[in-house]
């Protein structure tokens, strides 16, 4: 059986980024760099690698530099070229008008609401979601691994990973069913449960392939955890109606929604970069003395 291809991805980027203040007072948290690329660039690269063609950014006030980032910087490129400088580093930042759409989430009503803001652009096809502050690093990337599984199983596919039991309350948590390799059936989903109520320590880690019916559910979704319209609650209603599975990502995950995870990601990536690994290693060792 062939499953409709995943051609579109939603990037909810309207969040206020309060955990990184004052850094994020005037710049979006999605523009914070890991080494020399902003977080949002890694997510877009991951989407492209998975064959996704259209990037839909759900933005808000103060987020327009994300649009600038994915535009052609004419003055910059013109000036650099005239001075004989290489502009190839900018190639990955250019999204042509057919490949990107920006919609606004006008009020911070929750992740579920942010996704729902993209409903008209999604239309009637399966789509991916990327939470850019979950930085998934691997080869192939997380979404490519998920798309490969989706081609086999169809339906809804989310990425999950294990965290220590005492950390589950910050996340969406799955009730796992039967497993088959990297794929685990999802029997239930709960957003930010108390540790004692959590059905497992497998958390939803910021990558989703969902069927468009989720938009209809989000339409009438009541507020959930934290008084917000939760994507997790809408997904939970699809279980039993449509296939719902989780893929365990084979790679590294850095929680760049937290300062510690963000520093870890920078260090880890710098240590993998041929142009600086040796120096960074020496610096790190020296600091740890
Ligand atoms: C969101 C989702 C949650 C998921 C998490 C991953 O929560 O609602 O299910 O586990 O992202 O980072 P948030 O971090 O927005 O509170």
């Amino acid at each position: 059986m062939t499953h409709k291809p995943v051609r579109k991805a939603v990037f909810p980027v309207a969040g206020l980024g309060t955990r990184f203040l004052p850094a994020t007072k005037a710049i979006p948290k999605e523009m914070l760099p890991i080494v020399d690329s902003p977080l949002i660039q890694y997510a877009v690269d991951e989407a492209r690698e998975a064959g996704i063609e259209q990037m839909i950014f759900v933005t808000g006030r103060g987020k327009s530099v994300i649009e600038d980032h994915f535009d052609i910087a004419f003055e910059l490129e013109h000036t650099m070229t005239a001075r004989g400088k290489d502009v190839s580093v900018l190639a990955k930042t250019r999204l042509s008008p057919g490949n990107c759409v920006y919609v606004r989430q006008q009020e911070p009503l929750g992740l579920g609401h942010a996704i729902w803001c993209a409903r008209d652009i999604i239309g009637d096809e399966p789509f991916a979601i990327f939470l850019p502050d979950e930085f998934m690093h691997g080869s192939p990337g997380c979404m490519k691994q998920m798309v490969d599984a989706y081609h086999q199983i169809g339906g809804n596919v989310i990425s999950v990973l294990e965290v220590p039991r005492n950390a589950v309350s910050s996340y969406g948590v799955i009730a796992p069913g039967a497993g088959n390799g990297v794929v685990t059936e999802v029997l239930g989903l709960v957003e930010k449960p108390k540790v004692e109520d959590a059905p497992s320590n497998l958390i939803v880690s910021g990558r989703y392939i969902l069927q468009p019916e989720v938009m209809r559910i989000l339409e009438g979704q009541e507020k959930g955890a934290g008084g917000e319209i939760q994507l997790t609650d809408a997904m939970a209603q699809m279980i039993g109606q449509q296939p719902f599975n989780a893929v365990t990502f084979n790679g590294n995950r850095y929680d760049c929604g937290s300062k510690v995870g963000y520093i870890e990601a920078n260090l880890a990536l710098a240590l993998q970069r041929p142009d600086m690994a040796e120096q960074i290693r020496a610096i790190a060792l020296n600091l740890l003395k």
Side-chain angles (χ1 to χ4, degrees):
M1 186 177 164
T2 56
H3 305 285
K4 271 195 186 175
V6 184
R7 299 187 310 124
K8 302 181 179 188
V10 181
F11 301 80
V13 293
L16 294 173
T18 52
R19 277 194 276 177
F20 278 87
L21 285 171
T24 48
K25 184 181 175 192
I27 60 162
K29 66 172 174 176
E30 296 79 14
M31 291 301 293
L32 294 175
I34 305 295
V35 186
D36 50 12
S37 277
L39 269 170
I40 189 69
Q41 181 73 54
Y42 291 95
V44 165
D45 293 348
E46 186 188 327
R48 275 198 185 120
E49 182 207 15
I52 290 165
E53 295 157 15
Q54 188 177 50
M55 314 298 165
I56 303 160
F57 299 90
V58 180
T59 70
R61 284 174 293 284
K63 298 283 182 161
S64 43
V65 300
I66 296 177
E67 288 184 53
D68 293 341
H69 177 77
F70 289 111
D71 198 358
I72 293 177
F74 179 78
E75 300 84 345
L76 179 67
E77 294 194 22
H78 180 78
T79 310
M80 285 176 71
T81 307
R83 291 179 187 165
K85 292 204 171 122
D86 181 17
V87 293
S88 61
V89 72
L90 296 173
K92 65 180 181 179
T93 67
R94 294 185 207 108
L95 289 178
S96 66
N99 296 129
C100 61
V101 181
Y102 298 87
V103 293
R104 286 227 176 185
Q105 181 188 26
Q106 294 178 312
E107 294 171 274
L109 298 179
L111 176 60
H113 176 258
I115 301 306
W116 181 74
C117 291
R119 65 196 177 283
D120 285 345
I121 303 151
I122 294 301
D124 194 30
E125 53 182 293
F127 64 102
I129 301 171
F130 291 77
L131 309 189
D133 56 8
E134 287 287 352
F135 178 33
M136 309 296 265
H137 191 244
S139 185
C142 184
M143 186 54 70
K144 174 79 172 88
Q145 293 180 25
M146 292 168 67
V147 164
D148 288 346
Y150 168 81
H151 284 313
Q152 307 293 319
I153 57 183
N156 301 278
V157 179
I158 57 176
S159 72
V160 291
L161 53 89
E162 264 184 70
V163 297
R165 183 105 199 159
N166 61 12
V168 292
S169 303
S170 305
Y171 301 102
V173 180
I174 71 161
N180 180 6
V182 294
V183 176
T184 306
E185 195 186 352
V186 178
L187 301 178
L189 273 163
V190 41
E191 182 68 14
K192 302 195 172 67
K194 288 191 192 137
V195 173
E196 57 272 27
D197 298 337
S200 74
N201 64 340
L202 285 171
I203 63 145
V204 182
S205 64
R207 299 290 182 277
Y208 313 73
I209 296 172
L210 298 179
Q211 297 299 318
E213 286 76 19
V214 74
M215 293 298 193
R216 255 65 82 199
I217 299 173
L218 283 168
E219 185 107 31
Q221 187 61 49
E222 306 278 322
K223 288 179 179 171
E228 298 190 339
I229 296 171
Q230 294 291 354
L231 179 62
T232 303
D233 296 343
M235 293 192 302
Q237 293 182 53
M238 297 170 84
I239 299 169
Q241 312 290 319
Q242 295 185 348
F244 213 114
N245 290 285
V247 165
T248 304
F249 171 51
N250 180 10
N252 294 312
R253 170 253 187 178
Y254 305 98
D255 175 7
C256 291
S258 87
K259 289 174 216 179
V260 172
Y262 174 73
I263 306 279
E264 181 190 11
N266 266 293
L267 193 53
L269 263 79
L271 286 168
Q272 291 170 26
R273 283 271 296 251
D275 58 332
M276 64 180 76
E278 210 176 308
Q279 275 170 290
I280 299 292
R281 200 181 144 73
I283 290 167
L285 287 170
N286 190 37
L287 287 170
L288 290 169
K289 255 197 231 140

